[in-house]
Every structure is written in C-alpha cells, then in structure tokens.
Amino acid sequence: MTTSKPRIGGGLVNGVTSGGTYAFIGGGSNNRISANADSSVIVGGGVNIIQRDADHATIGGGQLNTISPGAEQSVIGGGDGNTVGAIAGTIGGGALN
C-alpha cells in the first residue's frame, strides 16, 4: 500500500504541518517540517525546522538548524544553528553558518 502521508518515526514533540506529502521525521525532539515542504526529511536532532515550500530538503541532525522557505533541494548535514536560504544550498556541518 502506498501513501503520501507524512511519517514520524519517533522522538518527542516532532511535527509535520499539513501539506507535507511524503515528509519524514526519524526522531529527536521538537523538529518541524512546515506546510508544503513535500518529500523533505529530518533524520534526528533537536529543534530543527524545514520551512514552507522547501521541497526535497534534508536536515541530517544537530540542533537549531533551519532550511528557509522555498529553499528546495537544500541540505544541512548537521551542526548547530545553521541556516540555508538558497535553492540547492548545502551546509555539511559546523556552527552558525
């Protein structure tokens, strides 16, 4: 059976806002995938967010990382306090990038 509903594997207080088809949060705590960020993934960590319309974006882990609205196909591997604001932007890790 195939479904386009978002999935949350585990953790605490994680959420996917409506419209996030095929979105996935693996675990961690207080992670969010916002509206219409289709096929986006947060693997784990804490207080990470993929904002609206950032389709196919990925945050691997860490904490306080953000993929900005519309930053499709962007990746943050991990780290602390990183933000990607461009389409297909990448931050491998580190802090405050």
Side-chain angles (χ1 to χ4, degrees):
M1 182 164 109
T2 303
T3 180
S4 63
K5 293 181 181 179
R7 300 283 184 216
I8 297 175
L12 300 170
V13 197
N14 294 312
V16 178
T17 306
S18 64
T21 57
Y22 299 107
F24 177 76
I25 297 175
S29 62
N30 296 297
N31 296 304
R32 296 274 179 270
I33 297 177
S34 297
N36 300 319
D38 299 335
S39 301
S40 291
V41 175
I42 297 175
V43 177
V47 197
N48 295 305
I49 186 167
I50 297 176
Q51 295 184 338
R52 63 177 163 60
D53 301 318
D55 298 342
H56 308 284
T58 301
I59 296 176
Q63 63 182 5
L64 301 169
N65 296 304
T66 302
I67 294 182
S68 298
E72 300 175 358
Q73 302 172 0
S74 294
V75 175
I76 297 175
D80 186 5
N82 298 303
T83 300
V84 172
I87 292 173
T90 301
I91 296 174
L96 304 175
N97 294 301

